[in-house]
Amino acid sequence: MEALEKTILIVEDDDGLQSQLKWHFDDFSTTIITSGNLQEAINAVRTYQPSIVLQDLGLPPDPEGVSEGFRCIKEILAIAPKTKIIVLTGKNEHQNALTSIKLGAYDFYYKPIDTETLDHVVERAFRIAQLEWENNKTTESVQPIKGVITGNKQMRNVCRMIEKIAQTNVTATLIGESGTGKEVLARAIHSHAPNKDKPFIAINCAAVPESLMESELFGHEKGSFTGATSSTTGKVEQAHQGTLFLDEIGDMPLPLQAKLLRFLQERSIVKIGGRKEIKVDLRVVCATNKNLEEMVKEGTFREDLFYRICEIVVDIPPLRERGNDAALIANHMLKRYAAEMSGKAMTFSESAIQTIEHYSWPGNIREVENKVKRAVVLAESNVVQTEDLGIDEPKAQKKFSLINLKEARKSAEVEAILSALELSQYNVSAAAKMLGVTRPTLYDMMKKYNMTNESNQ
Ligand SMILES: Nc1ncnc2c1ncn2[C@@H]1O[C@H](COP(=O)(O)OP(=O)(O)OP(=O)(O)O)[C@@H](O)[C@H]1O
């Protein structure tokens, strides 16, 4: 991962303290700049753009007061709003510390200095600055396509595939867990296509009752069934010359699958109660979180339809397999929702970021979205704490408490088995397949770890 340059500006008029701090933080990886008053500090911010400022409140010409210190905070943030200012103040000056935070300082630290504690405070500020920086690198680098934030190689490849698919007329199927961004990617195929000005029509096959599905897809003529008081145009015809997105295709009822196949082969439809063949020219994109191959084997999904819709399959990785993406996306969303919902800038505390990084996000990006929205509403200050996220922290932090490799392996295996069972709705054969082991091996492992299959209980 690319790293933010570590630069600390020390604003301190006491030469002794200034040297002590400089000496302490000076190492190969950190650049230290010092200044003894406001003007020097502003010049240094303009020249070096430090990510961290360690600032005394008592600055000349008011070394015994705080007026110049407060002015310094305001002026630094006016020219470099992302700077993390850590205010150094006396223990009995709590009110001044709070005022500094109100003015936008990132944190405060009581003198006399205990370098070990100060190290933690500075390290935490650097981590937040690093995440914000990653988030703010050119929009293109974190958003390979609009609406898709990622720093993950596999996801970048997915985005490249999407752009290529957009230039063709093949029928693509996007496969991924719920909330991984299938609809965003389906829309991206359309918006990158030459016919992007034509309609994008989506239908959620799981949300439409079976009895209405045919009419919803192909339309009907007036009087063709009870209640058909006027003729309607179905989604397929509405999408003419554009893109039809069949979401949750795995939930398409079997009788309708045959009709859908016919339309995909013939590229024409007949409305319910109608006789006329209507020619349609469109791109079809499907999405599912189901294992269609398994459904074909079970006889719940037609094999011929499977091959027809899977001319290209795009596997979308779950968030837990996308490296640092959870924190990247959470930061991006925090910025957006804080601005929209509370009108103020907000950041995550160090422990909140750790929780986000170590949580498994079973609901993927939709869950990140919900947790961040919740945090914006519940946070008591502009720093979001772990508890504001509503994540089960012990589970999220579990990886930290592992003591050795054997335990780590066991924990990873248990986690993988549990999620495979959950994803396959406790179908052991499907779970074994997902995990790349045989069914008896999976049973053995479940026995070894005292795990029971919920569906058998
Ligand atoms: N990479 C991403 N970056 C930022 N936001 C994303 C990303 N992927 C998805 N989202 C957002 O997450 C939410 C869920 O995405 P979407 O509806 O596309 O997922 P889905 O896989 O279609 O879900 P489902 O299977 O439940 O229909 C949306 O609000 C979407 O904007």
Side-chain angles (χ1 to χ4, degrees):
M1 190 202 313
E2 245 183 294
L4 170 71
E5 231 173 87
K6 279 188 163 187
T7 307
I8 300 180
L9 168 65
I10 298 165
V11 189
E12 172 63 70
D13 64 332
D14 177 329
D15 289 343
L17 200 52
Q18 197 184 86
S19 328
Q20 187 194 342
L21 287 168
K22 183 173 177 352
W23 179 82
H24 176 71
F25 285 107
D26 215 357
D27 64 30
F28 288 119
S29 62
T30 314
T31 307
I32 305 291
I33 304 126
T34 54
S35 59
N37 60 49
L38 183 147
Q39 197 48 53
E40 279 176 20
I42 296 300
N43 292 344
V45 169
R46 286 193 203 283
T47 314
Y48 300 100
Q49 295 157 6
S51 39
I52 309 286
V53 172
L54 287 178
Q55 192 209 302
D56 186 13
L57 282 182
L59 294 175
D62 183 17
E64 302 307 320
V66 287
S67 61
E68 192 72 353
F70 287 162
R71 223 180 101 206
C72 192
I73 295 174
K74 281 194 240 169
E75 294 207 10
I76 290 176
L77 292 178
I79 54 171
K82 294 204 169 60
T83 315
K84 304 279 167 273
I85 302 178
I86 300 165
V87 166
L88 303 176
T89 183
K91 272 214 172 77
N92 48 359
E93 292 167 18
H94 188 63
Q95 197 48 47
N96 292 337
L98 293 183
T99 308
S100 305
I101 299 289
K102 269 197 200 133
L103 291 175
Y106 169 74
D107 207 346
F108 54 86
Y109 182 76
Y110 290 130
K111 293 195 254 187
I113 286 168
D114 158 36
T115 48
E116 202 179 321
T117 317
L118 187 58
D119 276 350
H120 284 303
V121 176
V122 168
E123 201 41 50
R124 186 177 65 166
F126 262 131
R127 277 174 54 80
I128 301 290
Q130 164 83 26
L131 278 167
E132 286 178 2
W133 177 76
E134 275 170 31
N135 234 353
N136 282 317
K137 276 190 294 181
T138 62
T139 322
E140 209 183 296
S141 69
V142 288
Q143 272 197 61
I145 51 184
K146 194 165 174 271
V148 179
I149 299 161
T150 186
N152 175 255
K153 197 167 159 218
Q154 209 185 333
M155 268 310 284
R156 279 175 191 284
N157 289 340
V158 165
C159 292
R160 234 171 276 139
M161 264 178 103
I162 294 291
E163 283 167 347
K164 286 185 187 155
I165 292 168
Q167 304 311 316
T168 70
N169 215 13
V170 296
T171 302
T173 290
L174 314 174
I175 299 187
E177 288 175 21
S178 191
T180 45
K182 297 186 291 297
E183 178 156 355
V184 176
L185 293 170
R187 286 183 186 277
I189 292 180
H190 181 71
S191 63
H192 282 77
N195 58 344
K196 60 171 184 272
D197 297 330
K198 302 293 177 193
F200 173 91
I201 303 289
I203 178 164
N204 185 331
C205 306
V208 181
E210 186 170 346
S211 56
L212 298 182
M213 184 57 107
E214 184 173 357
S215 159
E216 192 74 8
L217 274 175
F218 305 119
H220 63 253
E221 296 293 1
K222 185 176 174 182
S224 53
F225 53 84
T226 322
T229 50
S230 58
S231 75
T232 63
T233 307
K235 299 275 190 195
V236 173
E237 204 181 338
Q238 288 171 30
H240 182 52
Q241 295 190 326
T243 303
L244 176 71
F245 175 44
L246 298 169
D247 200 1
E248 316 280 8
I249 185 82
D251 290 86
M252 177 75 78
L254 258 177
L256 255 294
Q257 289 180 21
K259 294 189 172 151
L260 182 65
L261 179 68
R262 186 179 169 277
F263 146 65
L264 288 171
Q265 281 167 339
E266 312 288 328
R267 296 289 162 160
S268 67
I269 56 155
V270 178
K271 288 185 182 186
I272 302 177
R275 290 209 203 122
K276 205 172 74 187
E277 290 256 343
I278 304 168
K279 285 272 166 216
V280 272
D281 172 23
L282 45 79
R283 166 190 300 99
V284 176
V285 179
C286 304
T288 184
N289 56 16
K290 300 224 157 119
N291 185 336
L292 292 182
E293 277 171 311
E294 201 59 43
M295 289 180 72
V296 168
K297 276 188 210 141
E298 288 164 0
T300 49
F301 200 84
R302 290 182 66 116
E303 188 173 15
D304 41 13
L305 180 61
F306 171 80
Y307 286 115
R308 180 62 66 167
I309 63 167
C310 290
E311 286 175 346
I312 289 197
V313 170
V314 183
D315 283 309
I316 305 168
L319 187 54
R320 63 182 170 280
E321 288 172 13
R322 295 189 201 173
N324 206 23
D325 269 12
L328 196 66
I329 293 172
N331 253 304
H332 193 92
M333 288 180 171
L334 181 63
K335 212 158 73 181
R336 183 174 141 205
Y337 295 132
E340 276 176 22
M341 295 160 69
S342 75
K344 58 186 182 191
M346 295 177 84
T347 51
F348 289 109
S349 71
E350 166 71 5
S351 77
I353 286 287
Q354 282 195 3
T355 305
I356 289 168
E357 281 174 348
H358 291 90
Y359 182 55
S360 62
W361 298 107
N364 294 293
I365 296 131
R366 185 169 296 108
E367 190 181 3
V368 179
E369 209 168 58
N370 293 342
K371 295 272 196 271
V372 173
K373 275 189 194 162
R374 173 199 148 103
V376 170
V377 174
L378 297 183
E380 303 242 315
S381 74
N382 59 355
V383 181
V384 170
Q385 305 296 337
T386 302
E387 52 275 21
D388 301 326
L389 290 163
I391 289 174
D392 177 6
E393 201 183 358
K395 238 193 230 170
Q397 301 282 351
K398 201 168 53 186
K399 289 179 190 156
F400 283 127
S401 59
L402 296 172
I403 48 166
N404 56 36
L405 198 58
K406 196 171 156 216
E407 203 189 320
R409 199 173 297 134
K410 175 182 163 187
S411 163
E413 281 186 357
V414 169
E415 220 168 274
I417 294 170
L418 281 175
S419 55
L421 284 170
E422 232 169 86
L423 286 171
S424 63
Q425 289 166 348
Y426 298 93
N427 177 327
V428 177
S429 305
K433 204 160 172 215
M434 247 179 242
L435 293 165
V437 296
T438 62
R439 201 161 159 269
T441 306
L442 180 54
Y443 269 121
D444 282 349
M445 291 172 90
M446 288 165 65
K447 205 166 140 201
K448 177 169 138 196
Y449 295 133
N450 284 328
M451 295 161 77
T452 46
N453 186 359
E454 277 189 18
S455 68
N456 295 336
Q457 288 177 337

